[in-house]
Amino acid sequence: MAKGNKKTSDGSSTIALNKKAGHDYFIEQRLECGLVLEGWEVKSLRAGRVQLKESYVKILHAEAFLIGAHISALATASTHIHPDPTRSRKLLLKRSELNRLIGLTERAGYTLVPTAMYWKRGRAKLEIGLAKGKKQHDKRATERDRDWQREKERIFKTG
């Protein structure tokens, strides 16, 4: 296991989390999908060299793509391969799931954001969230609620 991976009870381990997605969006539903990766990208994922912060999912020509995810190549990458850290990566979804996502993103105004990347039975999986954007006042209200919950816990613990 690479250092820093969090092992969970079902045997999967987290590669990367997108904490900014929960701050910027109301995530209403989560889906698991596979990724089409090259060999050097898998090695980089095992080393934990991935960032999902500025990435998003876009549907082009009835196929889903992960755009903007940064997977930095290892220094020991092969000499005959020129890695592109921010290339678009195809997502593997069932046709029925893809058709439903196309309908929701085009008609209902939803956005697809990657929320987590993890290992499942030796394969890299991406969790994408069907989300609506938050306004600035929504972000402040969420922050206020989180602070109040923390303060309540502190009061009950001491009192």
Side-chain angles (χ1 to χ4, degrees):
M1 259 310 115
K3 191 174 184 181
N5 284 357
K6 189 172 75 176
K7 193 84 166 162
T8 58
S9 60
D10 63 339
S12 64
S13 58
T14 303
I15 301 169
L17 291 173
N18 187 358
K19 294 178 183 173
K20 193 173 182 194
H23 183 262
D24 292 341
Y25 299 96
F26 292 115
I27 298 173
E28 297 184 8
Q29 186 179 6
R30 296 171 191 267
L31 284 145
E32 177 183 87
C33 60
L35 290 141
V36 176
L37 298 171
E38 295 177 358
W40 67 268
E41 292 174 321
V42 176
K43 287 183 176 184
S44 295
L45 289 182
R46 292 208 185 277
R49 298 177 61 133
V50 62
Q51 186 177 11
L52 296 174
K53 192 183 292 186
E54 299 296 324
S55 60
Y56 58 97
V57 176
K58 189 163 186 147
I59 297 177
L60 301 168
H61 309 295
E63 293 180 335
F65 291 92
L66 176 65
I67 299 172
H70 192 279
I71 300 176
S72 53
L74 295 173
T76 58
S78 182
T79 56
H80 65 279
I81 294 175
H82 301 291
D84 180 16
T86 57
R87 75 176 184 91
S88 299
R89 294 162 183 92
K90 186 176 175 183
L91 299 179
L92 304 172
L93 289 160
K94 291 182 180 176
R95 176 57 53 195
S96 59
E97 291 175 334
L98 203 51
N99 288 339
R100 191 173 62 79
L101 290 177
I102 289 169
L104 288 170
T105 54
E106 288 181 356
R107 290 188 276 292
Y110 283 97
T111 305
L112 296 172
V113 292
T115 56
M117 190 179 286
Y118 53 90
W119 296 108
K120 185 173 182 182
R121 289 192 227 121
R123 304 200 187 276
K125 300 290 183 178
L126 183 72
E127 182 183 77
I128 57 175
L130 195 62
K132 288 242 187 210
K134 282 186 183 179
K135 303 280 190 270
Q136 187 64 37
H137 64 276
D138 293 330
K139 292 179 190 178
R140 280 192 229 115
T142 304
E143 184 75 24
R144 198 176 315 114
D145 292 342
R146 195 178 312 126
D147 289 344
W148 170 239
Q149 290 298 329
R150 197 177 302 130
E151 189 64 33
K152 266 199 318 194
E153 291 294 322
R154 199 174 295 134
I155 290 170
F156 287 135
K157 193 180 240 184
T158 59

